[in-house]
Amino acid sequence: MASFQSLPGFRDFYPEDFFRRQHIFRVWRQSATAFGFQEYDAPVLEPLELYTTKSGDEIEGQLFSFKDKGDREVSLRPEMTPTVCRMVGSRAGALKRPIKWFSIAEFYRYERAQKGRLRAFNQFNADIFGEAGPEAEIELIALLIQCLSGFGLAKDDFLIRLSDRDLWFFYLEALGFNDSQARGVLGAIDRYEKMGDGAFKAYTDVHGPLEDSRKQKILGFLQIKGLADLEAALAPFGSEKLAARLADWRRVLEGLAAMGLAEFVSVDLAVVRGLAYYTGFVFEAFDRKGDLRALAGGGRYNDLVKKLGGPDLPAVGFAIGDVTTGLLLEQRGLMPAFAAAPDVYVVIGGPAERRAALADIQALRAAGVRVEYPFKDSAFGKQFKAAAESGARLALIYGGDELARGAVKLRNLADRSERELPIAEVRAAVRASLVGP
Ligand code: HAM
């Protein structure tokens, strides 16, 4: 019979892998909770239409979609955003605002396998609904920074690049592009860092040639790397809408500076995001060395809840992936070592002593102490070796002579000190030893 392997891009999580994943999830969950976000979950399988109502996304070509036995067109979820919009949209009236929700879940995209990109991966999603002002961006960018610095990553390790699709649309409109052309240009800009000039091919295939003068203006705008440059580039237009937009920019940057987070964030108009639903600020997190694909991405999407049948509800959010985060933590030596050691290893003299040992083992475990013991009887020497190899801090020894006196031995495996104690005191003594002096 053929031996089976997992599908390309899907991972088995052996205990040491699962341990690493749990570490990542724990830091994310702690961060979100500290920021007052509430956790939710949702189905992995959704109606295909949820992902095809907004056309033009790269994601659409990567769906794991099929017809179910009831002839429904369905798809595994490639992202959480449409789902969370549906959920919030259908209860929007009853939810206290601002609505701050997070989730940790698995997603599926039929991507070409490459470093940092798989076909099944986990994301932490955090979104705020019902807040139109840039305070929502401040809150989310601060949370994103906490979700990375919670691992011990510092400002030399990662960077948030902040940009604005609203300004891009304004600028492209001023250059004479209509909405569909502007979306085509933003698609090209999204690919420009990776592909260079070839990024514009998809645009010219659809919309025809792009004159050099306009292209140079676009390439100039995407070089903008600071608020002062941005203000200078937009000054000639002198519109009220623009002035209000730049005021929002200053509020975001000042808010983050007040939190002491300014050094984590850079203004960078080269970020436009591949997903079509973003309407305003957009941001991505990268490792500073630039070795890895994006760690996280997000932005404002004020139209999506309504487009999916809900009320008009402003929204901002982001997602971090576990794959690039894990790679970065490994690179920086910040992934904790796999620790599966019990607190106590129980050494058992023989069948007669096992009964007394099992009673204490059960009581200790019920009290939350991690206890291991050998399933089969064997010589003391072999059991002590197993106790040492287990990494346990303590050994409890149930020997015939001691039990005859109503006692057991408690050994500290680090310094090998040992004492005898009445069997009735085992639980209290173990807990006291684990807590330490
Ligand atoms: P996204 O940029 O497509 O955004 O994904 C966010 C993050 O998920 C990426 O930066 C990356 O770390 C991870 N990721 C995406 N695709 C893969 C893959 N094939 N393999 C491994 N990791 C991957 C979104 O998904 C938006 N829905 C985020 C959002 C939430 N926007 C608003 N709210």
Side-chain angles (χ1 to χ4, degrees):
M1 181 158 153
S3 69
F4 289 105
Q5 291 185 339
S6 61
L7 290 167
F10 284 73
R11 291 171 288 179
D12 291 327
F13 286 89
Y14 285 86
E16 54 272 35
D17 308 315
F18 194 83
F19 175 86
R20 292 188 200 107
R21 187 175 95 181
Q22 282 304 93
H23 174 65
I24 294 175
F25 287 7
R26 197 178 312 118
V27 169
W28 286 347
R29 188 168 275 121
Q30 271 168 4
S31 308
T33 310
F35 276 68
F37 282 65
Q38 293 177 348
E39 189 161 4
Y40 67 95
D41 202 358
V44 294
L45 198 63
E46 290 276 21
L48 175 63
E49 236 192 309
L50 189 62
Y51 308 112
T52 51
T53 45
K54 5 149 228 122
S55 59
D57 285 353
E58 197 185 0
I59 276 190
E60 261 190 69
Q62 300 173 336
L63 292 175
F64 275 90
S65 56
F66 55 95
K67 251 192 195 152
D68 76 3
K69 289 181 179 160
D71 231 18
R72 293 178 201 87
E73 296 272 12
V74 294
S75 173
L76 287 175
R77 60 185 174 196
E79 58 162 333
M80 194 58 110
T81 313
T83 299
V84 73
C85 284
R86 181 197 63 212
M87 288 171 68
V88 167
S90 70
R91 295 224 181 139
L95 297 168
K96 210 164 126 291
R97 301 192 189 175
I99 301 155
K100 300 182 2 178
W101 281 14
F102 82 96
S103 59
I104 297 175
E106 192 170 44
F107 299 91
Y108 310 88
R109 296 183 194 175
Y110 201 87
E111 292 224 33
R112 209 161 34 81
Q114 51 186 309
K115 192 175 162 200
R117 285 290 176 270
L118 298 173
R119 289 180 179 167
F121 55 95
N122 296 290
Q123 277 185 349
F124 166 90
N125 275 263
D127 294 85
I128 298 181
F129 296 87
E131 175 53 61
E135 288 69 28
E137 274 84 349
I138 297 172
E139 179 87 333
L140 284 161
I141 293 170
L143 173 57
L144 171 53
I145 293 168
Q146 186 55 43
C147 282
L148 290 165
S149 43
F151 296 108
L153 292 165
K155 63 180 178 358
D156 301 332
D157 296 313
F158 71 92
L159 175 72
I160 317 279
R161 299 164 70 190
L162 180 62
S163 176
D164 187 346
R165 278 176 65 113
D166 205 22
L167 281 186
W168 265 109
F169 277 116
F170 177 90
Y171 189 69
L172 293 172
E173 194 188 318
L175 292 181
F177 291 95
N178 66 30
D179 190 68
S180 134
Q181 290 169 329
R183 286 178 187 279
V185 171
L186 289 187
I189 294 163
D190 186 44
R191 294 182 294 270
Y192 188 73
E193 257 174 25
K194 254 179 279 165
M195 297 172 64
D197 243 18
F200 285 93
K201 185 169 179 314
Y203 175 89
T204 49
D205 284 353
V206 177
H207 301 286
L210 178 61
E211 319 81 85
D212 204 47
S213 65
R214 287 209 293 176
K215 189 167 160 187
Q216 289 316 317
K217 286 202 169 120
I218 292 166
L219 295 180
F221 201 62
L222 88 83
Q223 298 301 328
I224 289 177
K225 294 269 159 24
L227 188 57
D229 291 350
L230 189 57
E231 286 170 332
L234 295 171
F237 298 101
S239 90
E240 245 171 60
K241 189 176 158 255
L242 265 186
R245 193 68 196 141
L246 288 170
D248 282 351
W249 266 89
R250 282 189 287 273
R251 266 161 76 190
V252 171
L253 295 174
E254 280 164 18
L256 291 168
M259 289 173 151
L261 302 175
E263 286 178 295
F264 287 98
V265 182
S266 78
V267 178
D268 190 339
L269 283 235
V271 169
V272 292
R273 307 278 297 136
L275 295 157
Y277 49 66
Y278 292 110
T279 54
F281 284 111
V282 285
F283 48 93
E284 282 185 340
F286 285 90
D287 70 299
R288 286 259 185 193
K289 282 196 187 150
D291 290 347
L292 301 169
R293 305 285 309 265
L295 297 163
R300 187 168 275 280
Y301 50 100
N302 284 346
D303 304 334
L304 193 57
V305 177
K306 194 166 182 194
K307 253 191 201 158
L308 295 173
D312 207 350
L313 196 61
V316 205
F318 71 85
I320 320 183
D322 69 327
V323 184
T324 35
T325 301
L327 287 171
L328 183 61
L329 295 181
E330 299 281 359
Q331 268 186 14
R332 298 290 192 280
L334 288 170
M335 192 64 99
F338 178 45
D343 299 312
V344 180
Y345 194 94
V346 178
V347 172
I348 303 171
E353 291 78 23
R354 191 168 279 269
R355 178 185 289 259
L358 287 177
D360 284 342
I361 288 166
Q362 178 57 24
L364 284 167
R365 286 174 165 176
V369 181
R370 287 176 296 179
V371 183
E372 284 288 359
Y373 69 98
F375 288 164
K376 299 276 186 304
D377 293 325
S378 66
F380 272 124
K382 199 169 163 196
Q383 291 187 57
F384 280 121
K385 194 162 167 254
E389 282 170 2
S390 76
R393 286 160 63 191
L394 301 173
L396 270 174
I397 302 145
Y398 288 74
D401 294 348
E402 290 87 355
L403 277 180
R405 293 194 290 277
V408 296
K409 275 189 194 152
L410 178 64
R411 182 184 285 194
N412 181 325
L413 289 169
D415 63 15
R416 293 174 167 262
S417 61
E418 195 174 272
R419 67 189 162 103
E420 202 169 291
L421 50 106
I423 194 155
E425 290 172 20
V426 163
R427 213 169 124 181
V430 165
R431 299 190 82 184
S433 305
L434 288 173
V435 173

